[in-house]
Amino acid sequence: PAGAVPLSGHLVRTAGVHASTSGTSISPLIPHCGEGGPCGGPPSNLPNELDDISCTTSTSCVAVGSYVSATYDRRTLVESWNGNVWSVVPSPSPDPGSELDGVSCTSSTNCVAVGSYGSAGWPTNRTLVESWNGSVWSVIVSPSPGSTENWLSSVSCTSSTNCVAMGNYGDTSSTHTLVESWNGSVWSVTSSPSPGLHNGLSSVSCTSSTNCVAVGNYGDSSASAHTLVESWNGSIWSVVSSPSPGSSYSSLEAVSCTSSINCMAVGSNNGQINTWHALAESWNGSIWSVVSSPNPGSQSNYFYGVSCTGTTNCVTVGNYGDSSASAHTLVES
């Protein structure tokens, strides 16, 4: 809902937008799946959501999320587009509390989805990785280093043997960035910086095995939050300086890169009390800079997803709120 922005390292897991680097058009809209809707299982089911999508052609898309069953279990949800219709594809739910938050496909027979599972909630949840081989979705073993929480929010694959996933994990005193990589055989944790008391990565975009950018936020002891950008050069993850224009809160929720010298990241920051602004920042290979963007909402404006096909073509999505507490879709290009 408009105004529901976290003030710690726990990131809002929001919908992403992905397109192939060839600029293939996104297919028609995914149908709405509300209570009792057609997309998440039996007609008696409860809320459904789709959190991320990846398309390799105009006739091949995969969307992932979760739904709540009639027995109040949260289960993974995968839907596929064949150029004509969206269909539910069976996917594993290793625990009554399972969800998928990110997906990346390199072909119609190779996709990776990430999320978390754990029936007892945050204290015991674990990372969840599932893969698609063209026939079935299967759970792939992935590390869960946190003692109190483990989340994977986003994944980016450049081939069937190279994927990077990220999110955060927690212990009794703080939360840390979590980066995991796939080499075609195993998922393993890759060391990544955690500059604050609370840290989280919400989105990743890779253009090759030696170039990835991840974005999120980190919080300090004063409960302020700052944008967080980290980059991968094939050997190490490093923090890259990025603007935090908010008075006490700035966060980046999504990133899209088309090359090592062109990325766009989006999120939100706060201005006056109870006023939130959409935030866009661009990378030119040397520095991250704030890009001016309209704020049509009188009280709140948020960007949640972005997709770029070049230096002069990006689309970002989110919502904005007015004084009547209504929320409206927001698309900017």
Side-chain angles (χ1 to χ4, degrees), residues 11-29:
L11 298 172
V12 173
R13 294 186 300 282
T14 53
V17 180
H18 294 279
S20 67
T21 55
S22 62
T24 301
S25 298
I26 295 296
S27 51
L29 293 175

Side-chain angles (χ1 to χ4, degrees), residues 226-244:
H226 313 274
T227 62
L228 175 59
V229 176
E230 300 189 6
S231 66
W232 170 254
N233 64 2
S235 300
I236 60 171
W237 283 94
S238 306
V239 173
V240 181
S241 178
S242 58
S244 293

Side-chain angles (χ1 to χ4, degrees), residues 56-191:
T56 54
T57 70
S58 60
T59 59
S60 180
C61 296
V62 173
V64 301
S66 62
Y67 71 95
V68 178
S69 72
T71 56
Y72 301 101
D73 297 332
R74 180 166 290 279
R75 301 175 182 173
T76 63
L77 174 58
V78 176
E79 302 188 11
S80 66
W81 171 255
N82 65 2
N84 294 302
V85 296
W86 284 94
S87 306
V88 174
V89 181
S91 58
S93 293
D95 189 275
S98 301
E99 63 181 83
L100 295 172
D101 296 307
V103 63
S104 179
C105 300
T106 58
S107 72
S108 61
T109 59
N110 182 63
C111 297
V112 173
V114 300
S116 64
Y117 71 94
S119 58
W122 286 28
T124 58
N125 72 331
R126 296 291 182 263
T127 63
L128 175 60
V129 176
E130 301 188 5
S131 67
W132 170 254
N133 64 2
S135 300
V136 296
W137 282 94
S138 306
V139 174
I140 307 298
V141 175
S142 58
S144 293
S147 60
T148 61
E149 60 181 277
N150 300 270
W151 301 102
L152 290 174
S153 301
S154 178
V155 61
S156 181
C157 300
T158 58
S159 72
S160 60
T161 60
N162 182 64
C163 296
V164 173
M166 57 199 43
N168 65 281
Y169 72 93
D171 53 34
T172 56
S173 61
S174 60
T175 54
H176 313 272
T177 61
L178 174 59
V179 176
E180 301 189 4
S181 61
W182 170 254
N183 64 2
S185 300
V186 297
W187 282 94
S188 55
V189 173
T190 304
S191 178

